[in-house]
Amino acid sequence: MEIMKLLHPKVVPPAGWVAETRGGTLRRDAPGAADGGLLARLDAVVRFLMERDNLPCSEVVKAVCTVLKADDALALYMVQPQGMAVAVTDYTSFDSVGVGGGSDRGARRVGRAGAIEAMNCHWNSEPVCSVYEAAGLDCLAVPLLAACKVWGYGEVRAPRPMWPLSMSDVQWDVEPLEGWVSNAPNGLLRHDSGDECRLVRLVDVAAWMANEYPRDQVIRRLFGALYQNEADPWGWQLFVLNGKGYAQRLIRHFGPSPETVDFWQHLREPDSIEEYGEGVTSGYSAQDVMGVILRMWDYAWPGVSADPDADREWYMQRVIEANKRRNARLKADPDASNDAAPASMLSEERQAMMQVLERLAVPIPVAFTLWGWGRATAAVALPDAVAGTQAAPAVEAQDVTDWPSLVRYRGQFASLAAQKRPVWLPGHVEILAARLHEDHQAGRGRGALGRLAGELGAVRSTVGELLKKHGFSQATGEKLQTPATPWSGMGGRGGKAA
C-alpha cells in the first residue's frame, strides 16, 4: 500500500492553465513531487496577480522579483519546445533578451540573477506592461506547488485538511477512555506528572480505530495526522516509553533525540532482511524518522484480525514482493542469503518490529484532537456564562435556544462514545454556525472552531464536517450558497454524532 502517495497534497492549477503550451510542456522531471512535476509560467503568474490584486505591472513584477531574489530555494526553470523543462543554471544566458527579441547591449546577464535582472528590465514598462513582449522570458517558470503557496496561483488541497493549525486548537481537558491504565507493558504512560501529560500508546489507538475502519484505513488515518498536522508535523508529539522513568520525546531539534537512542537505533527499513537493512541514525531528520516508522508499521502491524493472513490475495502479494526482493539481492550479490523475506504477518521479524513500535505513545489530549480517542471533561468545557452555577437540570433538545443552552445540552453526553450521542438538529447547527460567525466578526476567528468544539465536548474535525454538511463555512460560520440539485434537502446518511 503506497500510503505516502495518499498523504501528499494535491495541487490544482487555476482556471486557464494548460500543460501543453506553444513554448513547450509545463513539466519538470520530478515525478515524486506533490505537484507531479508541473510548472507555472512566471508571465502567467504576473498577469494573475495583476488581475487579482488590481495592481500595475511594475509593482507586481517588482514583488515577484523580490521573492525570487530572496529565496534561492524557489527554483527557476526554462520551458523547452521539446521535452521537459530544464533548471536555470549559473551558465544560462539572458544576453539576447529584449522586447521583440532585440539584443541587449548592457552587461552580461547569466544565471538566476541574470533572469531576475532581465525581468525587472523588460517586464515593468508603463503604461503598457510588456510582460508578453520580451522574447526569451516567456519560457521562465517555477514549480506549480511553489507558485501556489507563495502567490496563491492555484490551490493546494490536502486529503485531510482538518488537523489543528496551532497547539491552541488542542482540547487539553480530556479524560482517557474506560479501561485505560497508567502502567503499560512498555512503561508508565506519562511524560510528566500533570493529567495533561498522560499518554496513550499508538497501538491502542490503532486497535480502537479498528473497531470502525479496516487495517489500511487505520494506518492512513493514524499517520496522516502525524504527517499533516500543521501545528506539530512529523511526529513532534510522539513519546517513547521506558521501564525506568517518564516517557521521553522522540523528536528534538528536528531529529531523533539522544534520550531515546535506545529506541530509534532499532528502527530500520522493512524492505529487506536484517543483514543489509538500513537503520535510523542521528543524522535522520524528523520527517525521515517518521517515514521509517510508517513503513515499519505498514509492514508489521497485523491489525486486529485473529488470522491476519486470512486474505489470500494479500498474502500472495506479499510472497511475490518478498521473492522479488530476494532475486534483486542475489543479482546484486550472488553470495547473499538465498532466503526470501518473510511473507506471513505472524513472522518473527514482523513481531520483533511491533515490539519496538509498541513503545510509541502520544498525549491523550493530542489523541483526542487528532482521532477522537478519549472524552472531553464537560465541566471544564462550560463557558463563563454557565460555569459556576449550581448543578443544572437536564436540558432537552427543545430547550436549546442559544449558545449556553446548546453547550449545556451537548455537555450532558460528552462522556458517551461519539456514536451514542444524539444526532444534531438543524436548529442546533445554526446556533453553532452563528456563534462561530460571531467570533469571526469579533476578531476571534483564529482557533475558534477548536475552542467551540471543546466547549461542546466534541472533536474539531467532527464539528467542522457537521458545519460543512449543513452548508456552513468551517472558517467563518457563514451560510454557503450552493446550486440547487434534484437531491437538495434530502440530507446525508450515516453521519456521526459530534
Side-chain angles (χ1 to χ4, degrees), residues 342-400:
S344 172
M345 289 301 294
L346 301 176
S347 68
E348 292 183 4
E349 182 199 23
R350 284 184 164 91
Q351 291 177 1
M353 280 190 177
M354 282 312 304
Q355 287 180 355
V356 174
L357 297 175
E358 284 173 359
R359 295 178 60 187
L360 290 172
V362 295
I364 288 176
V366 174
F368 178 78
T369 303
L370 295 182
W371 306 296
W373 192 98
R375 53 189 179 87
T377 306
V380 180
L382 294 177
D384 295 339
V386 180
T389 61
Q390 299 299 318
V395 181
E396 300 293 339
Q398 61 269 23
D399 298 330
V400 176

Side-chain angles (χ1 to χ4, degrees), residues 78 86-95 108-115:
M78 294 186 68
V86 295
V88 172
T89 70
D90 292 340
Y91 304 101
T92 305
S93 174
F94 294 92
D95 283 343
R108 287 204 66 199
R109 296 192 181 112
V110 293
R112 183 185 185 88

Side-chain angles (χ1 to χ4, degrees), residues 184-464:
N186 316 93
L188 183 67
L189 286 172
R190 288 181 180 274
H191 64 88
D192 212 329
S193 58
D195 281 352
E196 72 279 2
C197 300
R198 292 177 293 187
L199 303 169
V200 58
R201 297 189 307 168
L202 277 188
V203 289
D204 296 327
V205 175
W208 171 77
M209 293 175 67
N211 291 318
E212 185 172 356
Y213 302 106
R215 176 190 182 273
D216 286 3
Q217 280 202 36
V218 169
I219 299 175
R220 193 178 309 164
R221 291 170 180 270
L222 197 66
F223 286 92
L226 295 175
Y227 264 98
Q228 293 180 257
N229 176 4
E230 295 182 34
D232 289 270
W234 306 324
W236 286 96
Q237 288 295 329
L238 279 181
F239 287 81
V240 179
L241 303 176
N242 64 78
K244 61 184 183 297
Y246 287 126
Q248 298 290 327
R249 196 179 293 272
L250 173 61
I251 301 298
R252 290 190 188 277
H253 307 298
F254 305 98
S257 68
E259 294 88 352
T260 58
V261 63
D262 64 314
F263 168 79
W264 52 259
Q265 68 179 347
H266 297 293
L267 298 177
R268 65 180 181 83
E269 293 290 351
D271 296 333
S272 55
I273 61 177
E274 189 170 351
E275 60 255 35
Y276 65 93
E278 180 184 354
V280 169
T281 67
S282 60
Y284 271 50
S285 68
Q287 188 176 13
D288 293 335
V289 173
M290 281 305 301
V292 174
I293 291 175
L294 185 154
R295 290 186 287 274
M296 287 179 65
W297 198 283
D298 183 38
Y299 182 76
W301 186 57
V304 297
S305 172
D307 182 8
D309 293 326
D311 186 334
R312 185 67 179 171
E313 181 180 349
W314 186 38
Y315 176 75
M316 290 306 300
Q317 180 182 350
R318 294 200 303 271
V319 171
I320 294 171
E321 291 174 352
N323 288 331
K324 284 182 177 179
R325 288 195 294 271
R326 178 193 60 190
N327 294 337
R329 185 168 67 247
L330 290 174
K331 184 177 181 180
D333 181 7
D335 296 327
S337 170
N338 191 36
D339 296 331
S344 172
M345 289 301 294
L346 301 176
S347 68
E348 292 183 4
E349 182 199 23
R350 284 184 164 91
Q351 291 177 1
M353 280 190 177
M354 282 312 304
Q355 287 180 355
V356 174
L357 297 175
E358 284 173 359
R359 295 178 60 187
L360 290 172
V362 295
I364 288 176
V366 174
F368 178 78
T369 303
L370 295 182
W371 306 296
W373 192 98
R375 53 189 179 87
T377 306
V380 180
L382 294 177
D384 295 339
V386 180
T389 61
Q390 299 299 318
V395 181
E396 300 293 339
Q398 61 269 23
D399 298 330
V400 176
T401 57
D402 54 14
W403 179 251
S405 59
L406 176 62
V407 170
R408 290 171 57 193
Y409 173 70
R410 300 303 304 186
Q412 299 173 126
F413 315 105
S415 61
L416 300 179
Q419 62 269 23
K420 294 183 179 180
R421 301 177 191 179
V423 297
W424 277 74
L425 301 178
H428 294 184
V429 180
E430 292 178 2
I431 294 174
L432 166 63
R435 179 54 182 252
L436 177 61
H437 185 60
E438 178 183 331
D439 280 7
H440 179 74
Q441 292 292 94
R444 301 189 300 270
R446 182 171 179 80
L449 190 60
R451 291 195 304 271
L452 298 184
E455 292 183 27
L456 295 167
V459 185
R460 179 182 184 274
S461 59
T462 303
V463 174

